Amino acid sequence: MTIGGGFRPASRRSGLLGVHSIGEFVLSVPDVRDAETFYAAFGFEARATDNQLALHTAADGYRWGRVIGGAHKAMHHVSFHCFEEDLPRFKSHLEANGVKVLDPPSGFDSNGLWFYDHDGMLLEIKVGAKTSPNEKISMEPSAPATPIRTAPISSAASRTQPRRLSHIVRFTPDVDRAIAFYSRIVGLRLSDRSADAVAFMHGVHGSDHHLMAFAKSNGPGLHHLSWDVPSIDSVGLGAMQMADKGLSRGWGLGRHVLGSNYFHYVRDPWGSYCEYSCDMDIIPATIDWQGLDHAPEDSFYLWGPNVPEDFGFNHEAARA
Ligand SMILES: [Fe+2]
């Protein structure tokens, strides 16, 4: 099945071993209450239990992430989903490539395969639902007030609620190593890159233009979590609902080049970002996509306001 838009059979590319989706992430932060305030304002059902915060999408109840207490903000792990028949193949694949398979971390028992990536971030591959899209779904048009007035009346506009996780962007000191690891071990494929500054990777069984992306920095870290919303209005209204809560730092409205999505980034309490994103390109399982290397001026954004000076600052590396 596919999450975030009703039941659809999962697309699959036969003959290739690769994860098909991001199933869940777990983030650690110094004070989980800050996360509850931020993510609830962003549009999640944020459910607090046992000193954890679970982030569910309102429409389907899917749990995309958990936030736990920790000394500082850091990604605790990312769980990828694979097809059931591929899990034993992944086990052999990891062993054949010299990747040490670990016991699950304390408090996260599961029957998945646990291992570290090239930067020492904990990953899991487990059997799970395909949360990535199979094919492009057109943006939803605005709900017009009347056949002539195409903007909805403000008081009738919906609160923005993410439909699904689109992608995670990580800082890494070595983009080439990231591409090599996530291609060879995790089975993602390069979508596009710009020299050694940034790389975008998709799932071979059909996904957004990027499930994971890597931006060069002086150390590992989280840059942003990106959340799919149905329309440009949802992006703009989401930015406004965050500003109404005093969460106006960020960047947008704009449109990216690689991935084509419209965006607005909201700075989270720890200096990383959550992105409202709509209309991203999809790379379906049927396409043999050839990733290209783009000039820096062709790789970031098509239009939008000036980029905030600290947009690319890696707070995790600065702390290390
Ligand atoms: Fe993004």
Side-chain angles (χ1 to χ4, degrees):
M1 66 170 293
T2 303
I3 304 293
F7 178 84
R8 296 188 299 281
S11 58
R12 142 147 233 166
R13 179 65 176 259
S14 60
L16 292 179
L17 182 63
V19 300
H20 56 59
S21 307
I22 298 172
E24 188 185 31
F25 63 85
V26 174
L27 191 66
S28 73
V29 302
D31 190 337
V32 174
R33 288 169 299 184
D34 290 341
E36 186 169 5
T37 303
F38 179 82
Y39 289 113
F42 197 80
F44 291 99
E45 278 186 13
R47 304 177 193 167
T49 52
D50 300 334
N51 202 31
Q52 279 191 9
L53 185 73
L55 305 178
H56 298 257
T57 31
D60 56 18
Y62 186 81
R63 188 183 73 193
W64 294 95
R66 281 178 282 174
V67 186
I68 60 174
H72 49 78
K73 188 267 292 183
M75 190 63 85
H76 182 274
H77 70 264
V78 173
S79 288
F80 290 101
H81 283 179
C82 72
F83 294 111
E84 187 171 6
E85 60 271 31
D86 285 343
L87 192 65
R89 295 177 65 202
F90 263 117
K91 185 166 190 299
S92 305
H93 177 69
L94 294 174
E95 289 166 353
N97 281 278
V99 177
K100 188 173 183 208
V101 177
L102 309 164
D103 291 332
S106 173
F108 294 95
D109 282 347
S110 90
N111 57 0
L113 300 166
W114 294 85
F115 55 100
Y116 289 115
D117 78 359
H118 66 292
D119 281 338
M121 185 177 76
L122 190 59
L123 301 179
E124 182 192 22
I125 296 178
K126 65 191 280 193
V127 176
K130 188 168 189 290
T131 67
S132 59
N134 298 332
E135 62 212 11
K136 182 88 175 182
I137 300 169
S138 297
M139 267 195 300
E140 287 181 9
S142 296
T146 73
I148 301 297
R149 292 184 199 278
T150 57
I153 295 297
S154 295
S155 57
S158 307
R159 187 164 175 271
T160 295
Q161 294 179 316
R163 296 192 297 191
R164 60 179 177 80
L165 179 69
S166 170
H167 55 270
I168 297 175
V169 176
R170 300 271 311 156
F171 290 119
T172 182
D174 192 330
V175 169
D176 280 316
R177 277 188 72 211
I179 295 170
F181 185 90
Y182 279 83
S183 301
R184 188 165 56 90
I185 304 301
V186 183
L188 300 182
R189 187 164 47 192
L190 183 67
S191 306
D192 286 300
R193 68 181 298 174
S194 180
D196 66 349
V198 67
F200 302 92
M201 304 189 76
H202 65 278
V204 293
H205 302 295
S207 82
D208 281 310
H209 173 273
H210 41 289
L211 270 184
M212 296 288 294
F214 300 95
K216 185 173 174 59
S217 180
N218 52 342
L222 170 68
H223 184 266
H224 72 264
L225 303 165
S226 179
W227 301 95
D228 175 77
V229 297
S231 67
I232 297 178
D233 278 337
S234 305
V235 175
L237 289 165
M240 204 160 74
Q241 87 190 23
M242 295 302 272
D244 285 347
K245 301 276 187 187
L247 298 162
S248 55
R249 288 185 70 179
W251 182 43
L253 173 75
R255 190 177 194 194
H256 280 303
V257 177
L258 305 179
S260 307
N261 54 314
Y262 300 93
F263 63 81
H264 183 95
Y265 294 84
V266 184
R267 193 180 195 270
D268 70 20
W270 316 283
S272 40
Y273 294 85
C274 264
E275 178 184 19
Y276 291 115
S277 165
C278 83
D279 208 32
M280 177 172 268
D281 295 334
I282 305 296
I283 300 181
T286 49
I287 298 288
D288 281 321
W289 183 264
Q290 299 300 315
L292 298 176
D293 191 349
H294 302 264
E297 62 271 25
D298 290 333
S299 65
F300 194 14
Y301 68 114
L302 184 64
W303 53 262
N306 291 337
V307 185
E309 261 182 31
D310 62 351
F311 187 70
F313 189 78
N314 183 351
H315 293 266
E316 291 170 61
R319 192 183 305 109

